[in-house]
Amino acid sequence: MLLAYGLVTVIMSAISYLDVASVMNESMRMLGIDGEFTNYGQGKIWGVVAGIVLIVGWMLTAAMSVLRLRSGRLTWWVPVAGAVVFTLLAAAALTVPMFGDPAFAAYLSRAAGS
């Protein structure tokens, strides 16, 4: 069940990362940042990277789960650990275009100056 839920989540996330500008705009809105995401070049590249990280991560997690199941060992924790690891890696990929965005940089400089 965890792998099935993870697959749906990975597919939906990977599709949304193809339009990373809307994802970043929503993130900036939730953080209370004025302005819009304009770092489209890096956003497109790193959005694809984040999507690939999630897809490959799910495939590795599923393969490891199947191998552990076949050997009769506990497997429930593998999808949980895989979700944490690969979600963090995808999030790290998405921070690259976010930190390169002028509106986010201005927000950080205001926050550091306060």
Side-chain angles (χ1 to χ4, degrees):
M1 286 301 291
L2 290 173
L3 286 173
Y5 176 74
L7 179 60
V8 171
T9 303
V10 164
I11 290 170
M12 299 305 290
S13 296
I15 290 170
S16 72
Y17 293 161
L18 293 177
D19 182 22
V20 78
S22 65
V23 172
M24 293 297 182
N25 280 328
E26 183 64 22
S27 297
M28 290 169 66
R29 186 191 64 75
M30 289 188 315
L31 291 170
I33 300 172
D34 294 329
E36 288 191 20
F37 180 78
T38 57
N39 193 5
Y40 300 116
Q42 280 190 346
K44 186 170 186 128
I45 292 167
W46 288 100
V48 170
V49 168
I52 290 170
V53 164
L54 288 178
I55 292 167
V56 170
W58 184 88
M59 292 187 323
L60 291 172
T61 301
M64 188 174 174
S65 293
V66 169
L67 289 174
R68 288 185 61 85
L69 265 175
R70 287 185 179 167
S71 66
R73 294 187 285 180
L74 283 176
T75 304
W76 66 267
W77 63 270
V78 175
V80 174
V84 169
V85 169
F86 291 105
T87 299
L88 288 174
L89 289 173
L94 291 176
T95 62
V96 174
M98 182 68 100
F99 278 104
D101 186 68
F104 188 74
Y107 170 77
L108 288 179
S109 66
R110 281 192 310 271
S114 300

